[in-house]
Structures are given as C-alpha cells and as structure tokens.
Amino acid sequence: MSEPLSEVLPQVPSEVSSEFSSEPYGGSFARRAAELDAADELAGLRAQFVLDDAVYLDGNSLGALPRSVPGRVEDVVRRQWGALRIRSWDESGWWTAPERIGDRIAPLVGAAAGQIVVGDSTSVNVFKAVVGAVRLANGPGGEREADAGRPGPVRDEILVDATTFPTDGYIAASAARLTGCTLRPVAPDEVPDALSGRTAAVLLNHVDYRTGRLYDLPSLTAAVHAAGAVSVWDLCHSAGALPVGLDEHGVDLAVGCTYKYLNGGPGSPAYLYVRREHQHRFDSPLPGWNSHADPFGMTPDYAPAPGALRGRVGTPDILSMLALEAALEVWDDVSIEAVRAKSLALTDFFLECVDAYVPEGAVESVTPSVHAERGSQVALRCAGAGQVMRRLIERGVVGDFREPDVLRFGFTPLYVGFGDVERAAGVLARLL
C-alpha cells in the first residue's frame, strides 16, 4: 500500500503564514472574497488537488498535483509494469496512449478528435511543427532550382515572435538553418505588416510568458493565411486556462506543454496538433519507428502513418504519459468557458486588491487590463523583484519572477480561490 499523501509530501511550516494571514488586510475585500468563493461553481474542484496552507500562484510554471495521480502511477508501476510487463503495451493500452490522451486534450483547445498526439517535449514539437510548416508552405515543387542562382525553398522566410520564450527562438533558428530559410523576429502586433510572398511559417505565442498578454489568435492566423503562409502557435500559457479554438480559427499547427494549467506533472509530455486537412502532407523532420505506417515491419524505408500519428517519433514515455492521463480526469464535465470566466474574475480581483493595498508606485502592472488581451496571469514590475518573491514564498505566497524586475502570479481557476487572491495581495502589501 502507498503511504498517505500527508506523509510523503512536504508540508508548509506553521510559522509561514501566522504573521501575515491571521487577519485579512482589508475587511471589505475579505468579505467580498468570501462571497465570491461561496458563489464559485468551480470551487469544489479544489478538493481534487493536493494543496497546503500556501497560496499557490505558480500554476503557470507547474500545476498542482491532482489527487488521482499517485494511485494511478502506483498501478502503472506495480501492476501494469510489475505484473503484466510487456503485455501492457496491448492489455493496458500503452501503445495507443499518445493519441488517446491527445483526444482528451483536444476539447480544451477547441479541436476535434484525431488531430493531437502526445509525446516528446515542447521544444521537440516546436521543431517538428516549424520544419513541417515550411514544407507545407512550399509543397511539391516548392524548391528553387539550384542553377537558378538562388537554391532553396520558394518561401524562404520564417517569422518568429520577437518576445518569445527563448527556446522557441533557438528552435526556430535551427529550423531555418535546416530548411534554407532566413529567420526574422517580429513583434506579434507587427506580423500582418511583416508578411510577404516569401513567408513560409509564422511561430507565435498565444500568451506572452513574461507579461501575460493574450494575442489575437483568430486575426493573426487569418493574416498568415492571407499571405499564403502556415501558422504555428505555442499554447503553453493558454491551454487549460482559456478557450483557444484551433479548429474554429483555422490554425494549421500548434504545440503545448501539459505541466502548467493541465497539471500533468514536472516534465510531463507535450503535444502536437496537426490540422486534419494537412495531415496527409505533414512531413515531420523526425521520422521514427513509432510514426511508421507499419512500425513492427522494421523495413529500411520510411512510410508515414496516417493522420496525426505521423507526429510520433520514438517509444512513448509511459510513466509520465499515464500520470498526465490521470491528471486530465479533473477536467471531466468542466467547461473551459467557465474556467475563463473565473480566470478573468480572479485576475481582476487581484489587480483591484493590489491597487487598494500596495503603496502607490511600489509596483506597476504590465499585464493588460483589457480582458481580450489578458491570459491567466498577472505580471507586476517591482524593484528588487527577485528578493521580493523570495520573501513572499517564505510567507506562504508562491509565485515566481523573471529578470530583471517582474513578479509573476499565475491563476489556475481549478484550485485558486478569491480568498487566496486577497491574502496574496495583503502579504505583498505588507512586504512593500
């Protein structure tokens, strides 16, 4: 039998919150928080997570542990691996896990079944997607003749979000070298004007990881298509926090991680979305035996599997993949629209509490106030942000910071309440 969670998980020391949370910082805000929590239709989901006395506002980096996961992992290890052993590839469904779990993620990002495959890291999937996008954009006969004086693809430019998470930029640069393209960093707002007949692929982040700004996926995707290029979206900071609408808005390719708002655990596998109409032409730069049409034929020639399966590469990481599958069960009967509504309410309330509590001029929000431009985090510019965040964590408010001066607070509506928000703002105010 496994040990109780209370015995195997670290506990927050009792002194962490005694000084800062014995009384609410502002009575009227505390009363409003209690009223909002009482009316919250998602409040019951909090019980499905392993939480302590800390206010956990770092789900945009690592989601909290769903209670269903430890028992599932124990079953995978003890029974499926320990007893059934290799039979589990068939009897326990290991072989079909990448597409089965992809179908569980699909509704959360607005995709029909059969278009998402789970596996590999976000970085590896970005590489597959960007190279695949260049190949889709150029199509059969899309290479210039070498004797024309300019060998390479007809569409020979990749646009990448200039403010992107660094790895996306590194991967895009490598993809450009591999495909004979040039890489051009541009701000997302400048993409429509930067597009041309040379543009092959455009890699954008749905939500800016530093500021929490939400970019206009529908209009930017439409602009990319109008130029004849292929869109690739990074959904790491939006999937599980807000509606995405991949199918509705005609997104070509998308990638995302599962350890943030999807709560899959540290290093849990990422996913790749390939729009159905592109699947027969999607040419992955990483063909592997798991994406072969006949994987056990062991033939020397590669023939890609049909559908999104051609996004697979090697043997799936079964332990972390099935932990993710268990984590996704918390989404049963949960509406992503309800999650978005609570996310906006939480971030609105936090900004209101910060404005009321924190000394004027001590912090500056760099997260847009307009709902249509806000993800599910709030970023505050603050002098000495690194030290401030360390002191917040010592006092039971867990967020993170990004150089040089940004405090980041992520709001996961499945387990963050309005009382948490009010307490976090109060602790911040006392520190400043």
Side-chain angles (χ1 to χ4, degrees), residues 4-232:
L5 288 172
S6 60
E7 296 180 14
V8 299
L9 294 173
Q11 301 297 301
V12 174
S14 58
E15 66 269 16
V16 160
S17 58
S18 60
E19 176 189 355
F20 282 83
S21 62
S22 57
E23 293 292 339
Y25 195 82
S28 63
F29 283 100
R31 287 191 294 273
R32 278 181 56 197
E35 292 168 358
L36 289 167
D37 281 330
D40 177 17
E41 63 179 287
L42 301 179
L45 294 170
R46 184 184 178 100
Q48 296 190 40
F49 292 87
V50 177
L51 297 165
D52 50 32
D53 291 336
V55 177
Y56 190 66
L57 301 180
D58 207 11
N60 54 328
S61 287
L62 177 65
L65 172 67
R67 291 186 177 275
S68 60
V69 171
R72 185 68 55 81
V73 171
E74 182 177 19
D75 178 70
V76 173
V77 172
R78 293 185 183 276
R79 182 182 66 84
Q80 297 180 29
W81 179 17
L84 295 177
R85 294 179 289 275
I86 201 165
R87 291 160 52 195
S88 279
W89 284 105
D90 292 320
E91 296 181 26
S92 300
W94 288 1
W95 185 258
T96 59
E99 59 267 30
R100 182 179 72 243
I101 301 171
D103 286 347
R104 293 208 68 153
I105 293 172
L108 303 179
V109 292
Q115 299 177 99
I116 293 179
V117 63
V118 173
D120 305 312
S121 67
T122 306
S123 300
V124 171
N125 283 313
V126 168
F127 182 71
K128 296 179 205 172
V130 174
V131 174
V134 173
R135 293 173 176 176
L136 283 171
N138 283 284
E143 299 291 320
R144 291 190 179 87
E145 296 295 331
D147 60 4
R150 191 181 174 195
V154 173
R155 289 184 172 267
D156 61 356
E157 185 176 72
I158 298 170
L159 302 185
V160 64
D161 182 347
T163 62
T164 190
F165 187 75
T167 294
D168 283 17
Y170 307 154
I171 295 293
S174 178
R177 292 193 297 272
L178 178 69
T179 57
C181 290
T182 58
L183 184 68
R184 184 179 174 194
V186 296
D189 290 339
E190 298 170 356
V191 165
D193 292 332
L195 291 161
S196 73
R198 291 182 54 194
T199 308
V202 182
L203 172 61
L204 295 169
N205 287 267
H206 197 191
V207 174
D208 186 294
Y209 79 99
R210 288 189 186 88
T211 67
R213 180 178 176 183
L214 172 66
Y215 289 104
D216 190 343
L217 181 148
S219 68
L220 287 171
T221 301
V224 171
H225 289 168
V230 177
S231 62
V232 181

Side-chain angles (χ1 to χ4, degrees), residues 349-359 363 378 380 409 424-425 428-429:
F349 189 56
F350 181 68
L351 288 168
E352 189 177 354
C353 288
V354 167
D355 185 60
Y357 292 176
V358 174
V363 297
V378 171
L380 303 176
F409 301 94
L428 177 63

Side-chain angles (χ1 to χ4, degrees), residues 213-415:
R213 180 178 176 183
L214 172 66
Y215 289 104
D216 190 343
L217 181 148
S219 68
L220 287 171
T221 301
V224 171
H225 289 168
V230 177
S231 62
V232 181
W233 284 92
D234 183 329
L235 309 178
C236 285
H237 287 268
S238 58
L242 53 92
V244 178
L246 293 178
D247 286 354
E248 177 186 358
H249 302 304
V251 169
D252 300 301
L253 302 166
V255 302
C257 66
T258 61
Y259 48 80
K260 299 182 189 295
Y261 297 110
L262 298 181
N263 310 298
S268 57
Y271 57 89
L272 170 68
Y273 165 88
V274 182
R275 189 170 183 81
R276 196 177 309 280
E277 66 193 65
H278 296 318
Q279 290 175 1
H280 69 289
R281 294 198 303 117
F282 179 71
D283 183 8
S284 172
L286 297 173
W289 79 285
N290 249 242
S291 63
H292 198 287
D294 182 15
F296 292 97
M298 304 299 172
T299 59
D301 297 324
Y302 179 74
L309 293 182
R310 62 181 59 194
R312 293 172 64 154
V313 183
T315 305
D317 186 344
I318 292 299
L319 296 182
S320 62
M321 190 168 291
L322 297 188
L324 167 63
E325 185 173 33
L328 291 170
E329 291 175 0
V330 302
W331 288 94
D332 290 347
D333 302 318
V334 174
S335 160
I336 193 66
E337 287 74 21
V339 168
R340 174 59 168 167
K342 182 177 176 182
S343 165
L344 291 172
L346 287 169
T347 50
D348 277 344
F349 189 56
F350 181 68
L351 288 168
E352 189 177 354
C353 288
V354 167
D355 185 60
Y357 292 176
V358 174
E360 185 175 355
V363 297
E364 174 194 0
S365 175
V366 294
T367 299
S369 59
V370 178
H371 284 181
E373 297 179 0
R374 187 194 308 163
S376 200
Q377 76 176 53
V378 171
L380 303 176
R381 182 168 287 126
C382 173
Q387 179 63 17
V388 171
M389 183 52 68
R390 283 189 287 274
R391 294 176 66 195
L392 282 170
I393 293 171
E394 289 170 357
R395 288 157 176 79
V397 175
V398 181
D400 65 16
F401 82 102
R402 289 292 179 265
E403 297 288 357
D405 58 358
V406 174
L407 301 171
R408 294 197 319 167
F409 301 94
F411 297 83
T412 305
L414 300 185
Y415 54 78

